Amino acid sequence: MTLLALDIGGTKFAAAHLDADGTLLRRAERPIGPSPSGTLAALVADFHDPGLTAIGIGTAGPVDVRAETVSPVNIPQWRDFPLAGAVRRLVPGVEVVLAGDGQCMALGEWWRGGHGVDSLLGIVVSTGVGGGLILGGRPVLGGTGNAGHIGHVIVDRDGEPCPCGARGCLETLASGPAMVRWALANGWTPAGDLAVTADNAAVQGPVTARGPVTAKDLADAARAGDAIPLAAFERAADALAVAVLNTAAVVDLHDVVIGGGVAAAGGLLIDPLREHLAKHAGMDFLRHITVSPTALSRDAGLYGAAALALLATGVTPRPTARGPAPDPS
C-alpha cells in the first residue's frame, strides 16, 4: 500500500510517499509560484504511482470539508477552491481526503511522533495559530472540518479585533506577527533598523526598510536578553495557557504538542507556557497537562495527511515510534 500525502502551505507545497506503517519513502516540495493550480498539478504528476491507494491533503485554511473547498489566506487565487476535486481529476479512481493543516499536524504527531498517548491537542504557532484534536486515537474534524482551531478561542473579550471578525482571539496575541506588533508598539527597535515604515499585518506583519520583521528576529532579541521581546513571549505564553486550559476543560486531554515557526523559539515559548498552565489550572484533571515540542518538525503535516489517507481506506493507524528524519531532497 502506497499513500500520497500533500501539505498545502502558504508559501510552498510539499508531497511525500509513505507506506501503511508510516515510513516516509520519498519527499519533495516546491514554492507555490505564480500558478498554484499548475504547481499542484506538477507535484501530483511527479508523485503519481500505479500502486497509489489513497491521497491525504493537509491544507492551510479556512477549510470546508463538507464542500471540500479551501480559501488559504496566502493564496488569493484560491477562494472556495475545490481542492479535493482538483486532485481527484489529476489521479482518477484514487480516494482523496482533506483536512486542515493543524489537524494533520496533530494526527501526524500522534501517529509517528513517539508521544505514546491516546489523545492530544496539536497547536501550530506561526503566522497564525491553528490546531487539531486527536481523541481516542482518531482525528476530530467537526461538522465543517474546523474542530480544534484553537487560534480563534477568545482569550481577551476586550482585546484587539481579529481578522476573523471577532475580538481577542488567541491569534491576536500569540501569532508571530501579533507578537512582533506588540513588541514594536511597546518600544522594541529591531537591531539595525531605524524605524518601522509600513505594516502588512494581515500576512507578514510589520515591515522595516530591510524587509519584514519576523518572530525569529523577536526570538533572537529575546535570547540576547532584550526585555520587551521576552515580555512578548511571556504574554503569548499566558494567552496560549488560557486557550489550552479552556480546551482541556471541555474534552479532558492532557497532552499538548506545539509546532510552527514561532514554536521554533523552543524554551522561550514553551517554558513560560508550562509555568502559566500550572498557575492558571484549577481542577485536578487540568494540573497534569504536559507540553512538548513537535517531534516531526515541518513533516508532521505530511505524516498526518498520510494517516488521514489511511483512515479513508478503512485502516486505523496505530501509534508507532518516531519517524526517521526524511531526506530533504
Side-chain angles (χ1 to χ4, degrees):
M1 177 184 291
T2 302
L3 307 167
L4 173 57
L6 298 174
D7 184 7
I8 306 300
T11 60
K12 64 175 178 59
F13 296 165
H17 278 146
L18 297 94
D19 64 19
D21 293 326
T23 301
L24 197 152
L25 307 172
R26 179 186 170 212
R27 181 194 188 284
E29 62 182 57
R30 299 186 183 189
I32 292 176
S35 173
S37 297
T39 301
L40 175 69
L43 193 60
V44 171
D46 191 35
F47 276 78
H48 189 20
D49 185 294
L52 199 59
T53 306
I55 300 172
I57 308 171
T59 177
V63 176
D64 186 335
V65 295
R66 295 174 301 187
E68 297 185 319
T69 60
V70 301
S71 302
V73 173
N74 286 0
I75 308 178
Q77 300 95 318
W78 284 4
R79 290 294 173 264
D80 296 320
F81 179 69
L83 178 57
V87 172
R88 286 192 188 98
R89 287 191 294 274
L90 295 169
V91 190
V94 177
E95 182 74 27
V96 177
V97 62
L98 173 75
D101 53 3
Q103 291 152 335
C104 284
M105 174 269 195
L107 186 54
E109 286 289 333
W110 169 80
W111 186 30
R112 293 288 290 173
H115 302 286
V117 298
D118 183 59
S119 301
L120 64 80
L121 168 65
I123 305 176
V124 180
V125 187
S126 188
T127 303
V129 179
L133 283 168
I134 306 299
L135 298 179
R138 296 188 72 88
V140 178
L141 302 182
T144 64
N146 289 287
H149 204 336
I150 196 170
H152 296 285
V153 169
I154 295 172
V155 295
D156 181 1
R157 289 191 306 171
D158 300 318
E160 295 181 9
C162 180
C164 77
R167 182 179 288 273
C169 293
L170 175 62
E171 194 166 292
T172 67
L173 287 90
S175 70
M179 293 169 64
V180 169
R181 284 196 303 273
W182 182 88
L184 291 166
N186 282 272
W188 174 52
T189 301
D193 292 317
L194 297 177
V196 176
T197 58
D199 187 4
N200 186 18
V203 177
Q204 292 178 306
V207 176
T208 68
R210 67 163 173 78
V213 183
T214 68
K216 183 180 182 303
D217 296 323
L218 194 71
D220 289 343
R223 289 191 187 95
D226 194 320
I228 295 173
L230 282 167
F233 277 96
E234 187 80 19
R235 179 175 180 264
D238 188 44
L240 276 163
V242 172
V244 166
L245 288 167
N246 286 342
T247 305
V250 172
V251 298
D252 192 10
L253 55 76
H254 304 102
D255 295 278
V256 178
V257 179
I258 308 285
V262 177
L268 287 172
L269 183 68
I270 290 178
D271 290 347
L273 172 56
R274 289 170 176 156
E275 292 170 5
H276 285 291
L277 285 169
K279 180 174 70 175
H280 294 312
M283 302 290 288
D284 284 346
F285 76 96
L286 297 176
R287 295 176 184 166
H288 306 287
I289 294 173
T290 64
V291 179
S292 58
T294 173
L296 302 173
S297 188
R298 63 177 182 161
D299 286 324
L302 284 171
Y303 282 102
L308 198 69
L310 195 59
L311 282 165
T313 70
V315 178
T316 300
R318 300 298 178 193
T320 59
R322 185 178 305 181
D327 184 335
S329 62

